[in-house]
Amino acid sequence: QFLFVVTFTTFLLCCVDYDILFANRPLNHSHAGGAAAPDRSKVTLPDAVLPAPQCAQSIRASGWIIFLLVMAAVFWLYRLVKVLCRLLGYWEIRAFYTRALGIPSEGLRDYSWQEVQARLISLQRRQQMCVHKRELTELDIYHRILRFQNYTVAMVNKSLLPLRFRLPLLGPVVFLTQGLKYNLELLLFRGPGALFQNKWSLRPQCKRAGARRELARRLARAMVALGVANLALCPCVLVWQLLYAFFSYAEGIKREPGSLGTRRWSLYGRHYLRHFNELDHELRARLSRGYKPAAKYMNSFSSPLLAVLAKNVGFFAGSILAVLIVLTVYDEDVLTVQHILTAVTLLGLTVTLARSFIPDEHTVWCPQQLLQRVLAHVHYLPEHWHRTAGHAETRGEMAQLFQYKAVFILEELLSPIVTPLILIFALPPRALDIVDFFRNFTVEVVGVGDICSFAQLDVRNHGNPQWLSAGQTEASVYQQAENGKTELSLMHFAITNPRWQPPPPSELFLSQLKEKVQQDAAAVPPTHHVLAEGPLGASLLS
């Protein structure tokens, strides 16, 4: 895709004669007598393509295009080396699955992750691949796979990263893009001066309290330097983002303009809603189950004024479009009129866009029940949302987690401009807090390495008093996870891995929780009484 975008864009800029293509200049053909006469016949695509020598000369004449092509070539070679290294790693993984675990490639789809994990634990008992401990647990495997992801989830949970901003006119916004995430990973985990010295251990000076200020100063300087580098590369990255977005979404938007109004879980939302020790496929499955309830909740809000405007705009545009279609059916020469196809296309886009703002007249207004259905799958919602489910402010906060596709595209396009500003101005003041976080919340596990202590799912050290009985946690406000993430992550991991043996405090919490659930289930009235209480239930029962 990268090669195609670069080659095709260069071809469009340097190898097409747009005066011929747009018929601004007549096409000249040589006749037998040697004289050239304007040819008013239809222009074909080959007529508008410049000859190869002229095309090459056009490319060499532009220093800016040559610079971009050199940058693209360097980036492509870097990606090629990276892909080849990954392929070697994938080949080793394939060999490990087929030879060590006894899972053939053609039968891989028939195995669940739990079955693969069970074979891995059994293999450790027989061959002791991890020499530092005899038994591997399910939690050890998750810690190795999700080492860096658990740190990121914890920092988002503790609001350590500067991702929330208040802007004039727009109000509170959340900004986290793939570009910003990549830069944060370079600074903290994967870069040459990152806090992690390799894939499994933190730098020794990060664990010493006496070196915290010097380490914070170095980290702040690295943030600024990386931001300046991003700023220098901003034109190249911005051009690439614009071209890639155009080639990726233009055809889909033309075919289905309403696709910009569909929603997706934002990158910030995926980190906010992710449990500790939750694998990618588990997170995708959980959020996919919550997609339809979340979309119904967001679509249940509508503006009467906007709906009236959309109906009128749709009516006017649709009327003109209908007349043009009838004229085209009556006489196809109408299509030869200049800009008639452009008008038909724009009118069709306008009609489709207007329809997306018109609410379904059969929708039942029941935000409380819809939000409960969302909570059943995503598990994390601020407590005050339950009391204000029908408020516009709640919908706005939900939109930060469940954003329009158009907003996602716009954020990614703005990322080359905004990311350097965050790295230079917003992130350095947090350097000391980030260094303290890694020192205070890193533990070394034998056979696993350094991991985030929140990922141990220890309710005594990181539990929230609102979720636990008296005396079950010793965590201070600084040590406890927000929104019950430790407890919910513990429940999710215990359900996903029923053979796992949790530590005694966590096991006590799970047993008390089971008893409470059984008591609540016994006290619940019959289902039809519960359903009849709300408008959604009344509608379903009717």
Short mmCIF file of all heavy atoms in Angstrom, two decimals, residues 4 13 26 30 46 83 91 105 107 117 147 159 205 219 245 270 327 406 462 510 522 536:
data_model
loop_
_atom_site.label_atom_id
_atom_site.label_comp_id
_atom_site.label_asym_id
_atom_site.label_seq_id
_atom_site.Cartn_x
_atom_site.Cartn_y
_atom_site.Cartn_z
N PHE A 4 2.35 1.75 -3.41
CA PHE A 4 1.32 2.17 -4.36
C PHE A 4 0.97 3.64 -4.17
O PHE A 4 0.85 4.39 -5.15
CB PHE A 4 0.07 1.30 -4.20
CG PHE A 4 -1.10 1.78 -5.03
CD1 PHE A 4 -1.16 1.50 -6.38
CD2 PHE A 4 -2.11 2.54 -4.46
CE1 PHE A 4 -2.22 1.95 -7.15
CE2 PHE A 4 -3.17 3.00 -5.22
CZ PHE A 4 -3.23 2.70 -6.57
N LEU A 13 1.01 13.70 -9.99
CA LEU A 13 1.59 15.05 -9.91
C LEU A 13 2.46 15.39 -11.11
O LEU A 13 2.48 16.54 -11.56
CB LEU A 13 2.43 15.18 -8.63
CG LEU A 13 1.66 15.22 -7.30
CD1 LEU A 13 2.63 15.20 -6.13
CD2 LEU A 13 0.77 16.44 -7.23
N PRO A 26 -6.93 21.85 -26.92
CA PRO A 26 -7.25 20.79 -27.90
C PRO A 26 -6.05 19.88 -28.13
O PRO A 26 -4.90 20.30 -28.04
CB PRO A 26 -7.61 21.57 -29.16
CG PRO A 26 -6.95 22.89 -28.99
CD PRO A 26 -6.95 23.18 -27.52
N SER A 30 -0.65 14.71 -35.63
CA SER A 30 0.05 15.00 -36.89
C SER A 30 -0.67 14.29 -38.04
O SER A 30 -1.06 13.13 -37.94
CB SER A 30 1.50 14.52 -36.82
OG SER A 30 2.18 15.24 -35.83
N PRO A 46 -4.89 7.51 -22.31
CA PRO A 46 -3.48 7.55 -22.76
C PRO A 46 -3.07 8.90 -23.35
O PRO A 46 -1.89 9.27 -23.28
CB PRO A 46 -3.41 6.44 -23.81
CG PRO A 46 -4.50 5.49 -23.42
CD PRO A 46 -5.60 6.36 -22.89
N VAL A 83 9.69 -5.77 8.73
CA VAL A 83 8.81 -6.88 8.33
C VAL A 83 9.59 -8.18 8.23
O VAL A 83 9.11 -9.24 8.66
CB VAL A 83 8.12 -6.54 6.99
CG1 VAL A 83 7.48 -7.78 6.38
CG2 VAL A 83 7.06 -5.46 7.19
N TRP A 91 8.07 -17.22 12.06
CA TRP A 91 8.49 -18.57 11.69
C TRP A 91 8.89 -19.37 12.94
O TRP A 91 8.57 -20.55 13.07
CB TRP A 91 9.65 -18.50 10.70
CG TRP A 91 10.07 -19.86 10.21
CD1 TRP A 91 11.12 -20.60 10.65
CD2 TRP A 91 9.41 -20.64 9.20
NE1 TRP A 91 11.18 -21.78 9.97
CE2 TRP A 91 10.14 -21.84 9.08
CE3 TRP A 91 8.30 -20.43 8.39
CZ2 TRP A 91 9.78 -22.84 8.17
CZ3 TRP A 91 7.94 -21.41 7.49
CH2 TRP A 91 8.67 -22.60 7.39
N SER A 105 -0.42 -26.29 11.96
CA SER A 105 -0.90 -25.00 11.43
C SER A 105 -2.32 -25.10 10.91
O SER A 105 -3.14 -24.21 11.13
CB SER A 105 0.04 -24.52 10.32
OG SER A 105 1.34 -24.34 10.82
N GLY A 107 -4.68 -26.95 11.86
CA GLY A 107 -5.70 -27.16 12.89
C GLY A 107 -5.73 -26.10 13.95
O GLY A 107 -6.40 -26.25 14.98
N GLN A 117 -2.85 -22.42 26.10
CA GLN A 117 -2.22 -22.07 27.36
C GLN A 117 -2.00 -23.31 28.23
O GLN A 117 -0.95 -23.46 28.88
CB GLN A 117 -3.11 -21.06 28.09
CG GLN A 117 -2.48 -20.36 29.25
CD GLN A 117 -3.34 -19.23 29.75
OE1 GLN A 117 -2.91 -18.10 29.83
NE2 GLN A 117 -4.58 -19.51 30.09
N ARG A 147 3.07 -7.13 29.29
CA ARG A 147 3.89 -6.36 30.23
C ARG A 147 3.70 -4.85 30.01
O ARG A 147 3.35 -4.11 30.93
CB ARG A 147 5.36 -6.73 30.04
CG ARG A 147 6.29 -6.15 31.10
CD ARG A 147 7.74 -6.39 30.74
NE ARG A 147 8.01 -7.73 30.29
CZ ARG A 147 8.32 -8.75 31.09
NH1 ARG A 147 8.38 -8.56 32.38
NH2 ARG A 147 8.57 -9.95 30.57
N SER A 159 -4.84 8.59 35.38
CA SER A 159 -4.81 9.91 34.74
C SER A 159 -3.42 10.53 34.79
O SER A 159 -3.27 11.73 35.01
CB SER A 159 -5.83 10.85 35.41
OG SER A 159 -7.13 10.32 35.32
N GLN A 205 18.56 2.35 37.63
CA GLN A 205 18.43 3.67 38.26
C GLN A 205 16.97 4.09 38.44
O GLN A 205 16.66 4.95 39.27
CB GLN A 205 19.18 4.74 37.46
CG GLN A 205 18.77 4.86 36.00
CD GLN A 205 19.64 4.03 35.09
OE1 GLN A 205 20.01 2.91 35.46
NE2 GLN A 205 19.98 4.56 33.92
N LEU A 219 14.40 12.34 31.19
CA LEU A 219 13.19 11.96 30.48
C LEU A 219 12.51 13.18 29.87
O LEU A 219 12.02 13.12 28.73
CB LEU A 219 12.22 11.24 31.44
CG LEU A 219 10.91 10.74 30.85
CD1 LEU A 219 11.17 9.74 29.73
CD2 LEU A 219 10.02 10.11 31.93
N ALA A 245 -5.33 8.71 3.97
CA ALA A 245 -6.74 8.87 4.33
C ALA A 245 -7.60 9.02 3.07
O ALA A 245 -8.68 8.43 2.98
CB ALA A 245 -6.92 10.08 5.25
N ARG A 270 -10.44 2.36 24.36
CA ARG A 270 -9.93 0.99 24.48
C ARG A 270 -8.99 0.85 25.67
O ARG A 270 -8.96 -0.20 26.31
CB ARG A 270 -9.22 0.59 23.18
CG ARG A 270 -10.17 0.43 22.00
CD ARG A 270 -9.43 0.15 20.71
NE ARG A 270 -10.36 0.06 19.60
CZ ARG A 270 -11.01 -1.03 19.23
NH1 ARG A 270 -10.80 -2.16 19.88
NH2 ARG A 270 -11.84 -1.03 18.22
N LEU A 327 -34.41 13.72 -16.16
CA LEU A 327 -33.89 14.28 -17.41
C LEU A 327 -32.83 13.36 -18.02
O LEU A 327 -32.77 13.20 -19.25
CB LEU A 327 -33.28 15.66 -17.14
CG LEU A 327 -34.27 16.78 -16.78
CD1 LEU A 327 -33.51 18.05 -16.42
CD2 LEU A 327 -35.23 17.04 -17.94
N ALA A 406 -15.75 9.90 11.58
CA ALA A 406 -15.23 11.16 11.04
C ALA A 406 -14.30 11.83 12.04
O ALA A 406 -13.26 12.40 11.66
CB ALA A 406 -16.38 12.09 10.68
N HIS A 462 -3.86 -2.93 46.08
CA HIS A 462 -4.38 -1.99 45.08
C HIS A 462 -5.90 -1.97 45.01
O HIS A 462 -6.46 -1.46 44.04
CB HIS A 462 -3.82 -2.34 43.69
CG HIS A 462 -2.33 -2.20 43.60
ND1 HIS A 462 -1.68 -1.00 43.80
CD2 HIS A 462 -1.36 -3.12 43.33
CE1 HIS A 462 -0.38 -1.18 43.66
NE2 HIS A 462 -0.15 -2.45 43.38
N LEU A 510 -13.31 -12.91 45.95
CA LEU A 510 -14.13 -13.61 44.95
C LEU A 510 -15.19 -14.48 45.62
O LEU A 510 -16.34 -14.53 45.16
CB LEU A 510 -13.23 -14.48 44.06
CG LEU A 510 -12.31 -13.73 43.09
CD1 LEU A 510 -11.37 -14.69 42.38
CD2 LEU A 510 -13.13 -12.94 42.07
N ALA A 522 -31.36 -14.39 44.49
CA ALA A 522 -32.51 -14.97 45.18
C ALA A 522 -33.55 -13.92 45.54
O ALA A 522 -34.75 -14.21 45.62
CB ALA A 522 -32.04 -15.70 46.44
N LEU A 536 -38.77 0.43 28.13
CA LEU A 536 -38.22 -0.61 27.26
C LEU A 536 -38.89 -1.95 27.55
O LEU A 536 -39.29 -2.68 26.63
CB LEU A 536 -36.71 -0.72 27.48
CG LEU A 536 -36.00 -1.84 26.70
CD1 LEU A 536 -36.13 -1.62 25.21
CD2 LEU A 536 -34.54 -1.94 27.09
#
